[in-house]
Amino acid sequence: MAETNKISKVRSNIGVRPERFAETIRLTVHQAEPKTFDEAVSESAKWRNAMHEEMASHREHGTWDITELPPGRKAIGCKWVYKRKQDETGQVARYKARLAAQGFSQKFGTDYDLVFASVVK
């Protein structure tokens, strides 16, 4: 039985992004969203307004109730997530801020005991 020679080809463009992504990369570098609350507040009043809109939406929809924690329990943390929404020409159309719960910190059986997915019948 004859052995076949395996020829390994070495690409010259390993680690080089395709040119079609160049404009997206430039926009991302120059218009990076803030990663922390402090960055957002220090960067622009538009982020502060976006956070106020998000909190107003939570109040309007009755997302949560303020209650006392049971003994031995910890509150679930949260994090602000920031995104610039662009129009079809690439101009910033809106500053969006979302308050995301850090549900990964919950433990099954301790913090919750029922898992379900809501579906439309």
Side-chain angles (χ1 to χ4, degrees), residues 44-90:
S44 171
K46 293 177 182 178
W47 290 121
R48 188 182 303 264
N49 292 337
M51 289 186 282
H52 284 296
E53 287 175 14
E54 175 74 358
M55 293 305 292
S57 175
H58 281 294
R59 280 190 292 277
E60 179 183 327
H61 291 97
T63 305
W64 63 71
D65 295 321
I66 297 177
T67 61
E68 293 292 322
L69 284 173
R73 303 297 175 125
K74 288 192 227 175
I76 297 172
C78 60
K79 178 182 179 178
W80 283 103
V81 180
Y82 305 97
K83 193 77 176 162
R84 283 186 183 91
K85 300 293 185 174
Q86 299 176 344
D87 62 11
E88 61 277 353
T89 63

Side-chain angles (χ1 to χ4, degrees), residues 34-45 47-48 51 82:
K35 299 289 183 202
T36 66
F37 175 83
D38 292 333
E39 286 178 18
V41 172
S42 66
E43 183 180 318
S44 171
W47 290 121
R48 188 182 303 264
M51 289 186 282
Y82 305 97

Side-chain angles (χ1 to χ4, degrees), residues 6 10 13 15 18 21 44 46 48 69 79 87 91 96 105 111 116 121:
K6 293 183 180 181
V10 178
N13 62 346
F21 295 126
S44 171
K46 293 177 182 178
R48 188 182 303 264
L69 284 173
K79 178 182 179 178
D87 62 11
Q91 299 297 317
K96 186 93 169 178
S105 64
D111 299 317
F116 67 95
K121 289 185 179 183

Side-chain angles (χ1 to χ4, degrees), residues 103 106-119:
Q106 294 178 308
K107 293 185 177 128
F108 182 75
T110 304
D111 299 317
Y112 66 97
D113 57 3
L114 181 63
V115 179
F116 67 95
S118 57
V119 294

